[in-house]
Amino acid sequence: MSVCLMVSNPISKEEDEFYVPIATEQVFQEFWMPIVEMLDLQWVKCFQSGIEVEKEDFRSILKELEEIKLWIGKNMNNERGKQMIKRLDNLSKELTLLLENARESVKVYIG
C-alpha cells in the first residue's frame, strides 16, 4: 500500500486520473511520521490514516509540507532525505496547481 493524493470528488476524466504518489506506508511510518510528530504538524499526521481535504485548507497543508522540507534539509543529508524532498516538491507542486486552477468545490483525499 502507499500514501498518495487524489481528487475525491472528480467531475472529469482529468480529475479522476489525478494521482500523486507520496510514499509507501512503511516509508511514511518510518521516516515521515517521526518528523511530523516532532514538528507537531496537524494536517500531515492525518495522511497516514487518510483524510479528505477541501480546497480552502490546501495552503495550510502546503505550509506543513514546507516545514518538513526545511527540517529534512537541515537534518537528513543523505539519499533518503533527497528522495523525500523530491516527493515533497512534487506533492507541493501538484497541490499548488490544484489550488490555483481547480474548481472551488474540489476535494482531495490524501492517504
Side-chain angles (χ1 to χ4, degrees):
M1 296 294 292
S2 63
V3 180
C4 66
L5 177 146
M6 60 188 125
V7 175
S8 59
N9 62 341
I11 61 169
S12 68
K13 182 178 180 183
E14 181 182 40
E15 286 183 356
D16 190 48
E17 294 175 350
F18 190 83
Y19 179 87
V20 181
I22 299 172
T24 65
E25 285 187 37
Q26 178 183 352
V27 168
F28 196 84
Q29 175 65 35
E30 188 174 336
F31 295 99
W32 288 63
M33 286 306 294
I35 299 168
V36 168
E37 290 169 2
M38 188 178 347
L39 297 174
D40 194 28
L41 302 177
Q42 302 306 305
W43 287 101
V44 180
K45 74 178 177 184
C46 297
F47 291 8
Q48 188 172 29
S49 58
I51 185 172
E52 185 175 63
V53 183
E54 296 184 6
K55 190 174 182 179
E56 66 189 41
D57 296 313
F58 289 5
R59 289 189 198 285
S60 298
I61 293 171
L62 287 164
K63 183 179 177 212
E64 288 191 7
L65 296 175
E66 185 62 26
E67 287 183 54
I68 296 170
K69 184 177 169 182
L70 290 172
W71 189 93
I72 291 171
K74 291 178 185 175
N75 299 287
M76 287 181 72
N77 190 14
N78 57 29
E79 194 58 38
R80 172 65 65 196
K82 290 176 187 174
Q83 277 297 107
M84 289 176 70
I85 286 175
K86 184 177 177 182
R87 291 290 178 111
L88 282 160
D89 284 343
N90 188 53
L91 177 58
S92 295
K93 180 187 92 173
E94 295 297 335
L95 197 55
T96 299
L97 286 172
L98 280 176
L99 179 63
E100 294 172 351
N101 301 315
R103 60 194 161 85
E104 286 305 309
S105 62
V106 73
K107 295 180 185 178
V108 297
Y109 176 81
I110 308 174

